[in-house]
Amino acid sequence: MTHRQAERDASAWLARLDAEGRIHADTRLEVLVGENREFAEWLEGSIERRVAVLRLLSAWQSADRLAALNVENPASRATPWRQSGLAAAAAILLVAIVAVALWRNVPADAPELEVFTANLETETGERETASLPEGSRIELNTASRVSVRIDAQTRRVELQDGEAYFDVASEPARAFTVDAGLAEVIVLGTRFAIDRRDERVTLTVIEGSVRVRGAGGSAVLTAGRSAEVDADGRIDLADLSQRDLDRVTAWRRGRIYFEDVPLSQVAEEFNRYNRAKLFVHEDVADIHIGGNFRTDNVEGFVALLSDGLGLTVERGNNVLYVTR
């Protein structure tokens, strides 16, 4: 789904909910979701939809503050808003356009309107892309969570769990910061990936440069380099080949790559993407595997283990046991 389509659909939904008298100055998205199953199911279809709704809802609820910026306040005309769904949708979309325009030219003394927050999440096996109001994009890998806050002075994302790829819009006056727990990454405009799991954070720079900070110090990384930050905050730097970079970002194409990797680790990687889990017996855990696979093709992988390597695969309830 495109960003524009998500905006149009979100404006139509909010117009409908407003016409039903469900939207008020302090209405939270969770309340709207709980009251309307159809809306909840639509919202779950993509992160783009959730971001669009959050942005438009925030703009609608902040409409009274637009008067200070010489923008008409649709909230002061409650009756016309409810005259028709089409008029309400147009009014909401107008507010959204004004809000987005303000994002792109934020004065130093801008009012509180310039605050955007969102919580984005993917389930096991899902990948989603979200566009932020200032032009940056976040791609979430399987089972990942981020929270976003953008205001007139800062752009801040917390990667709470999982893996994400960032394409950051260049704004020299407003840094983009990612808090990944063990490490903090600060950029002005670049492309990079962060993987947060197992008490470590791995940062890979695809384009541009970033600064990474851990408890043990900081380092500047340029394109083609990576940093791994451990639980003690120590930073381990490495140079990557193009092949390495392709492997790190393969999940964006729905693939995973292995080069001479123990079967136990291969199983862990597949388990990140699939509800059917691989359990590897210790007597085959150290068999090394190479190749590239679709993230969702666990059945094809176990067929390779069985037919190609002669291993035994026993099936349980959403469990695949691999033994001799």
Side-chain angles (χ1 to χ4, degrees), residues 157-200:
V157 175
E158 181 185 0
L159 177 59
Q160 298 161 332
D161 195 21
E163 190 170 11
Y165 178 89
F166 297 85
D167 186 347
V168 179
S170 179
E171 288 193 23
R174 186 165 57 160
F176 190 105
T177 302
V178 180
D179 179 359
L182 298 174
E184 184 178 68
V185 178
I186 304 170
V187 304
L188 297 178
T190 186
R191 297 178 183 177
F192 59 98
I194 301 180
D195 185 358
R196 177 181 180 177
R197 50 186 161 133
D198 300 333
E199 293 300 315
R200 65 172 174 79

Side-chain angles (χ1 to χ4, degrees), residues 203-261:
L203 165 68
T204 304
V205 181
I206 309 301
E207 179 182 294
S209 62
V210 308
R211 176 179 293 278
V212 58
R213 289 198 299 229
S218 67
V220 174
L221 277 71
T222 54
R225 303 202 76 198
S226 72
E228 183 171 303
V229 184
D230 64 19
D232 296 322
R234 290 188 296 265
I235 301 174
D236 184 20
L237 303 178
D239 294 314
L240 303 181
S241 65
Q242 185 58 51
R243 185 184 182 92
D244 293 329
L245 294 175
D246 291 341
R247 177 182 54 79
V248 169
T249 58
W251 62 266
R252 300 179 59 217
R253 303 181 294 278
R255 313 288 297 187
I256 45 180
Y257 285 70
F258 305 107
E259 290 188 17
D260 199 29
V261 177

